[in-house]
Amino acid sequence: IHRTRRGELVMSKSEIIIANELFHRGIDYAYERELQFGGGRKCKPDFTIEDAASGLTVYWEHCGMLADEGYRERWELKKKWYRDNGVLPIFEGGGDNGILVETSDDPQSGFDTEAIGSMIDKLFGKG
C-alpha cells in the first residue's frame, strides 16, 4: 500500500505515478470506484475519470503483472467485459460507454512517467 500526493492509498508504485500525474494536471479522478453495467458483473477500474468539459469517461487500468499467466488471463477477461459493455481502447477511438486506457510496466525499461503525462495531455489537452 502506497500513499499518493492526494492522500489516498493505492496498490502499486506505478499507480502512485499515474495518480500523481493526474493530480498534478488538475484532473479529478476516482480510484477503484465500483463500475457496473446492465449485465450485473462489477469491477473496479484503477482510475475512473469523468471529464465534464469534454464529455469523456475514461477507465484507466494499469497492468503491472502481465508476466504472470493468471494475471494476464484475468486481464484478458476484463478487457472483453469492457468491450462487451461499450468501453473500447483509446487506440480504437473509445466506445459509447467510455475509453479504456491500458498501461503496463515494461520488463526491460520499467515505467515511463513521461509517457503517462503525454497520455493525459492527449486525453484532456492539459499540461
Side-chain angles (χ1 to χ4, degrees):
I1 303 294
H2 309 281
R3 187 175 304 279
T4 68
R5 282 187 177 171
R6 200 167 84 167
E8 68 214 326
L9 298 176
V10 297
M11 298 298 291
S12 73
K13 291 176 184 174
S14 298
E15 289 177 345
I16 286 175
I17 294 168
I18 296 167
N20 287 345
E21 287 296 313
L22 290 166
F23 180 75
H24 174 73
R25 286 171 166 74
I27 307 293
D28 191 30
Y29 64 89
Y31 178 73
E32 291 196 344
R33 181 172 68 194
E34 191 171 272
L35 173 64
Q36 180 177 5
F37 293 106
R41 180 175 170 214
K42 302 174 187 177
C43 80
K44 291 183 179 180
D46 292 331
F47 301 94
T48 301
I49 306 155
E50 294 174 333
D51 186 57
S54 66
L56 293 176
T57 300
V58 175
Y59 302 102
W60 191 316
E61 296 278 9
H62 182 75
C63 303
M65 297 175 28
L66 289 175
D68 177 274
E69 185 177 340
Y71 181 99
R72 193 171 53 254
E73 288 172 0
R74 288 187 302 277
W75 172 237
E76 290 302 321
L77 289 173
K78 194 173 186 181
K79 278 199 305 190
K80 182 182 180 327
W81 179 81
Y82 276 121
R83 180 171 292 283
D84 290 347
N85 286 285
V87 178
L88 301 179
I90 187 171
F91 60 84
E92 292 180 28
D96 291 340
N97 287 325
I99 297 170
L100 177 62
V101 172
E102 175 187 354
T103 53
S104 60
D105 297 339
D106 183 319
Q108 277 82 36
S109 61
F111 191 85
D112 186 347
T113 302
E114 193 171 306
I116 297 301
S118 294
M119 176 64 71
I120 294 167
D121 293 344
K122 177 180 177 181
L123 285 163
F124 303 105
K126 298 181 181 184

